[in-house]
Amino acid sequence: MNHITESQFTNRFCSLILGKGDLPKKQDDLHILLFSATLGLEPGRQYTEKELNDILQAWSTSFGGSFYLDHVTLRRFLSDAGYIQRDAAGIAYRLAETIPLYTFDSSIKGLDLGEVLENAKREREERKQQYLKSAKKE
C-alpha cells in the first residue's frame, strides 16, 4: 500500500494543477488528484446524486478545468477507484472508509486547496522574480 504524506500531496497537487496538462498517467498523481476531490466530503454522510454533483462541480470549476474533468466524469473516476460508494438503489453516495492501494496523511483533510494553490503560485512568482533579478546582474 502506498502512503502519501502531506508534503508529497501538496507538492504534486500544485504541480498537477499549475502544470495544466492532461489527466495524470502516473497512478500516484491520479490518486492525489482524486483524493483532493473528496476533501469536501464528510465521512459517514450520505449524499444524493445532486448534492455530490454540486460538490464535485465546485471542485471541477476550481481545479479540474485543465484536465477537462467535469463532475460526471469525476464522479465515475471516484467510484471506479473506490473513493466513493453508491448504494444498491443507485440514489445515494458516501465517502469510502478506506481507499484501496493508498493511504494519506490525516492532516491532508484539513487543507484548504485554494490557499495551498495560491501559496504555490506566490512561491513560483517569487522564484521567477529572483531568477530574473540574478540574470540581470550577470
Side-chain angles (χ1 to χ4, degrees), residues 34-115:
L34 293 176
F35 187 73
S36 74
T38 69
L39 294 181
L41 301 176
E42 297 172 32
R45 178 177 170 202
Q46 283 205 156
Y47 294 88
T48 64
E49 188 168 319
K50 181 181 179 349
E51 289 172 327
L52 181 63
N53 283 345
D54 289 346
I55 292 167
L56 297 181
Q57 178 66 46
W59 184 93
S60 291
T61 300
S62 297
F63 308 112
S66 62
F67 304 109
Y68 306 104
L69 196 54
D70 62 76
H71 66 282
V72 175
T73 305
L74 178 58
R75 188 183 69 231
R76 288 183 186 135
F77 277 134
L78 290 169
S79 180
D80 290 348
Y83 285 87
I84 58 173
Q85 297 171 333
R86 190 169 64 170
D87 71 356
I91 58 171
Y93 293 84
R94 67 180 174 82
L95 188 61
E97 291 180 22
T98 59
I99 299 140
L101 306 176
Y102 284 85
T103 59
F104 294 85
D105 277 356
S106 60
S107 59
I108 295 170
K109 281 285 191 182
L111 292 176
D112 177 332
L113 294 180
E115 184 179 314

